[in-house]
Amino acid sequence: MPDLSAQPAGQQAVVIPALNEEIAIRAVVSAALTHCATVIVIDDGSSDNTLAQIADLPVTLIKHATPQGKAQALLEGFGAALNLGCSGVVTMDGDGQHSADDIPRLLAVAAQYPRHVVIGARLRGRDNAPGGRRFGNDVADWFVSWTAGQAIVDSQSGQRYYPREVLELAKNLPHSGFVFESEILIEAAEHGIRTVSVAIESRYQDGRRASHFRPFADVMRITRMISWRLATGGFRPGNYLRARREPPIVVE
């Protein structure tokens, strides 16, 4: 069990991309504010009442006139955090699938594992996830782990802690959409920054909007990005062996 009083040095921020999240966004942002004074919300061109739901909350708000995708939303949130001098950020989705109560756990593990990306891995109640999502996540984990040279658990989770060094690396990544969140783990690994996972609940309640993640189409895009990296890197046999032989780092 991590020491929940521990945190990485410096100011932290919570970054929340949001697209048409009027049902959940106020509760998500309010809960995040109880754990972190700096919350950055990127409204990615919502056509509903997402903005109105958080208009009175003390957040840094970035608005897109039209949807530009999750990757661009995250990049702008990272840029705002860097400009504020933050040493790292926690990311959360705006639909309520992530609990802000896990923020202290992610930060405590980040303090325990410097120069690591910390993933909130949806291991608790994993059987509640739709079968297509589980299959897509498993395939993505296999390929991301091979390319990164480390066994990674739940490479598609959007609840993460990124240290400042990774926020800087993210500026130069070419891909968008959900590919971005896989590629950032691989790029970090190429700079000696490893990944540790923290077990969180898998939440798929009724009434939430449909996920923006498309198991087939997005996994295919992730696979294409990884195939290119593997092909240009000589298929990285050493990485493959390390990912298969060494167990993932998972904190319960």
Side-chain angles (χ1 to χ4, degrees):
M1 176 70 69
D3 177 4
L4 297 186
S5 65
Q7 288 198 5
Q11 179 184 355
Q12 312 300 319
V14 177
V15 172
I16 305 173
L19 173 60
N20 294 335
E21 303 290 12
E22 64 180 359
I23 295 174
I25 192 64
R26 185 174 183 87
V28 170
V29 174
S30 297
L33 285 165
T34 67
H35 295 287
C36 184
T38 304
V39 175
I40 302 167
V41 179
I42 308 91
D43 179 74
D44 191 31
S46 294
S47 58
D48 64 0
N49 292 316
T50 295
L51 286 173
Q53 292 294 326
I54 59 172
D56 61 327
L57 297 180
V59 301
T60 297
L61 181 62
I62 299 170
K63 304 178 189 178
H64 292 168
T66 58
Q68 299 179 34
K70 187 178 184 183
Q72 184 60 32
L74 286 172
L75 283 169
E76 293 186 24
F78 293 173
L82 289 170
N83 289 338
L84 290 169
C86 293
S87 62
V89 304
V90 173
T91 58
M92 295 176 58
D93 291 345
D95 63 355
Q97 73 165 293
H98 301 139
S99 171
D101 289 340
D102 287 320
I103 292 174
R105 299 179 64 232
L106 268 67
L107 292 176
V109 172
Q112 182 182 355
Y113 290 88
R115 292 195 84 228
H116 280 67
V117 176
V118 182
I119 296 177
R122 295 160 292 184
L123 296 174
R124 299 175 179 173
R126 185 175 183 272
D127 290 343
N128 296 328
R133 292 290 299 275
R134 290 201 308 272
F135 174 77
N137 288 344
D138 288 345
V139 171
D141 284 356
W142 195 88
F143 280 106
V144 172
S145 296
W146 174 0
T147 316
Q150 179 194 1
I152 296 174
V153 176
D154 203 357
S155 63
Q156 303 310 296
S157 173
Q159 189 169 30
R160 302 177 175 185
Y161 173 83
Y162 295 108
R164 185 180 181 93
E165 185 178 354
V166 177
L167 305 184
E168 297 281 4
L169 291 174
K171 296 177 183 178
N172 301 316
L173 295 182
H175 293 95
S176 61
F178 289 95
V179 177
F180 173 84
E181 288 181 290
S182 295
E183 192 166 28
I184 198 171
L185 300 178
I186 296 167
E187 186 71 17
E190 291 184 353
H191 288 79
I193 301 166
R194 291 170 64 79
T195 300
V196 56
S197 294
V198 178
I200 64 171
E201 295 290 337
S202 182
R203 298 179 177 87
Y204 292 91
Q205 300 102 317
D206 293 336
R208 183 180 298 139
R209 63 136 175 90
S211 172
H212 296 309
F213 182 83
R214 294 164 295 178
F216 180 78
D218 287 314
V219 168
M220 287 299 295
R221 290 186 176 93
I222 292 166
T223 302
R224 282 198 296 269
M225 175 273 292
I226 288 173
S227 296
W228 178 83
R229 280 187 173 253
L230 287 173
T232 57
F235 291 96
R236 308 185 185 196
N239 281 14
Y240 177 82
L241 292 174
R242 282 194 297 275
R244 302 280 74 81
R245 290 175 177 172
E246 299 175 10
I249 307 172
V250 180
V251 178
E252 290 294 333

